[in-house]
Amino acid sequence: MTESLEFSALLRLIDERSAAFRSAVAAAPGLDAPVPSCPEWTLFDLVRHLGTGQRWWAAIVAAGPAEAPPAKDAGEVPQGLETLLAWYAESNELLLSALREAGPERECWTWWSLGVSPANAWGVARRRVHEVLVHTYDAQLAAGTVKPMPADVAIDGVAEFLDTCNSTPAAWPHEAASIHYHATEGRSWLLTLDGTGAWPAPLTEDAAPASASATGTAEQLLLFLWGRLTMSDLKIEGDQQVFEQLIAWEPEE
């Protein structure tokens, strides 16, 4: 892992970012407002997605070690703004309660168990921080009130995405390559792609030259990794095709 936020800090961030998410939803012109960064979704769809996700991961953490996840909550989601926000707040508290009860080391099912991120409550908490962080950006975009992300949270967000989403023992199907990600705040990461899989690590001074690199603020890098920005929004150097191949890659493990 490239970062090591304390479990208590992750829980606090889930709560803080969820409050920002609810504020963005409340400031929007309506729940039928389109979400530009999530094509074909309305703001209602976004709240339902995130709230259902909080409830699902709460159930996953509460279940402990398992070969498969529990079914997602198929209950009714309220349609009105106030009741919907109350439902989301309840969803968020269910997750936080499950995480507090479990503690950071409790193992549980995760879809990233073969990668770098741990398959435990700490790993779930870290993933949910950044899920809420990015979806808060989506909600703010829909409301026309985009605010800067906290830089330290965005920095961890870049590392978390690489650890969780770009970390796999599935063989890279193209010529071996490496990518350097440079945040202007002073942090950099290496992603190695070869026959052993995809493996992230902090970038060291003695690292070999990259096949390709991307430079931007941590927020820009995070939004690029999550598909909210494109290569044109960053400073790209080297072989652009490597990024195109990585974006299109759907590894089978």
Side-chain angles (χ1 to χ4, degrees):
M1 293 173 290
T2 58
E3 303 290 331
S4 56
L5 286 175
E6 294 290 335
F7 190 60
S8 59
L10 293 172
L11 300 189
R12 174 180 55 79
L13 287 170
I14 290 173
D15 205 27
E16 288 180 359
R17 292 301 92 203
S18 286
F21 176 76
R22 294 194 304 272
S23 294
V25 173
L31 292 174
D32 59 350
V35 182
S37 47
C38 301
E40 300 184 5
W41 275 17
T42 64
L43 199 54
F44 174 81
D45 296 325
L46 182 66
V47 179
R48 177 174 56 189
H49 165 77
L50 190 55
T52 300
Q54 300 298 67
R55 290 169 183 260
W56 189 50
W57 282 102
I60 289 169
V61 169
E67 293 296 319
K72 290 188 177 182
D73 185 352
E76 287 278 329
V77 178
Q79 300 286 323
L81 177 61
E82 290 187 9
T83 53
L84 180 65
L85 290 178
W87 172 85
Y88 175 77
E90 180 185 66
S91 304
N92 199 61
E93 187 53 42
L94 286 170
L95 174 64
L96 289 171
S97 295
L99 290 167
R100 293 189 195 103
E101 177 68 23
E105 301 300 325
R106 177 185 284 181
E107 295 180 355
C108 59
W109 175 90
T110 66
W111 51 259
W112 58 79
S113 60
L114 297 180
V116 172
S117 287
N120 60 18
W122 185 91
V124 170
R126 191 183 186 207
R127 170 101 290 239
R128 298 314 292 174
V129 166
H130 300 298
E131 185 87 16
V132 179
L133 177 68
V134 173
H135 286 322
T136 297
Y137 165 83
D138 295 330
Q140 291 174 346
L141 198 62
T145 58
V146 176
K147 299 177 181 178
M149 293 178 180
D152 57 337
V153 185
I155 287 170
D156 184 68
V158 175
E160 191 278 336
F161 187 95
L162 296 175
D163 287 350
T164 306
C165 302
N166 285 164
S167 174
T168 174
W172 174 245
H174 308 287
E175 182 178 348
S178 63
I179 297 175
H180 293 178
Y181 293 96
H182 302 291
T184 55
E185 292 87 351
R187 301 297 295 274
S188 295
W189 301 268
L190 164 68
L191 179 64
T192 302
L193 303 161
D194 59 24
T196 70
W199 303 111
L203 183 63
T204 58
E205 292 183 358
D206 59 351
S211 307
S213 68
T215 302
T217 65
E219 178 174 341
Q220 288 173 323
L221 290 174
L222 179 63
L223 292 174
F224 169 68
L225 290 168
W226 278 77
R228 270 59 176 177
L229 296 181
T230 67
M231 283 185 278
S232 64
D233 297 302
L234 302 171
K235 179 184 177 183
I236 301 294
E237 296 180 298
D239 186 358
Q240 178 174 310
Q241 185 181 30
V242 175
F243 286 109
E244 295 169 348
Q245 291 171 337
L246 181 59
I247 291 167
W249 188 32
E250 296 181 359
E252 295 182 4
E253 298 171 353

